[in-house]
Amino acid sequence: MILVLYLNWVTMGSTKQQKAYLLHRQDYRDTSNLLTVLTPDDGRVSLIAQGARRPKTPLKAILQAFQCCELEWRESRSDLGLLLRADFIGPATHLSGRALFAGFYVNELLVRLLSPGVSDPQFFEQYHQTVINLSDNSEPVLRLFEKNLLLHLGYGLDLWQDKSGQDIDPQATYHYFFEQNFVRLVQSDDPQGLKIPGEALCALREEKILPQHRMVLKMLFRQILQHYLGKKPIMSRQFWWAYD
């Protein structure tokens, strides 16, 4: 089986070279890793890094989360490529505490929601800026990333008009319904469900999230993303709670 895969890489695959961020890494066979990386031109890519777990390999220091690398790999007939070279191009981003768990949360979303091979250099740059901007006060950065992620996936929120085609009113209150967008509430409406101030939606649209908007927007994106993630819980969120 290993010989067949090797022949596929050698005879069939073209070689690619791109900037990349490591999203996930797991053990593969005795000394190798199976990598999931984000690239600008090929989106999410899966690679085998042969020998990446050997004691003296330089790959251990290079293939780290949240630091930008340049990778060269050979494609195969399958979606699994063979890593040929990895170079650190920096700058290194050192995350700790809540910012570290926020970064793990972002990476987990991408591993679970991105389809392989979807090119979007602008989204790669948005991820890059998210990593740089993460800090102990990561909530606004995460909300903007979630907003851009939904847009990248084709599920972008209309933050200009509600379901009826009326402009979002900062003085009004809204509910969000899947495939219907935001619906304005009136006094006679059922008060159950998440009530979203129009002011918060306008702030999200302008990417100027104020402290009073953070909790309601956090609950909004949690509701939306869980719909697409399914029943499996987000593991990094559990680590965040443990840290708190």
Side-chain angles (χ1 to χ4, degrees), residues 52-113:
R53 290 161 52 211
R54 290 174 180 156
K56 296 183 179 180
T57 177
L59 290 175
K60 286 187 176 181
I62 297 171
L63 298 174
Q64 297 289 329
F66 316 121
Q67 64 182 30
C68 193
C69 305
E70 183 176 78
L71 303 183
E72 183 178 356
W73 71 92
R74 190 185 304 279
E75 295 181 303
S76 70
R77 291 176 178 175
S78 68
D79 292 331
L80 190 60
L82 176 65
L83 181 67
L84 302 176
R85 180 179 58 83
D87 295 312
F88 171 68
I89 59 176
T93 302
H94 302 288
L95 302 179
S96 62
R98 293 178 64 87
L100 178 62
F101 295 120
F104 288 152
Y105 167 74
V106 167
N107 284 359
E108 184 175 358
L109 288 181
L110 298 189
V111 170
R112 292 179 59 179
L113 292 175

Side-chain angles (χ1 to χ4, degrees), residues 10 40 64-65 73 90-91 96 103 168 194 209 224 241-242:
V10 171
Q64 297 289 329
W73 71 92
S96 62
I168 296 291
L194 180 65
I209 301 174
I224 295 172
W241 290 337

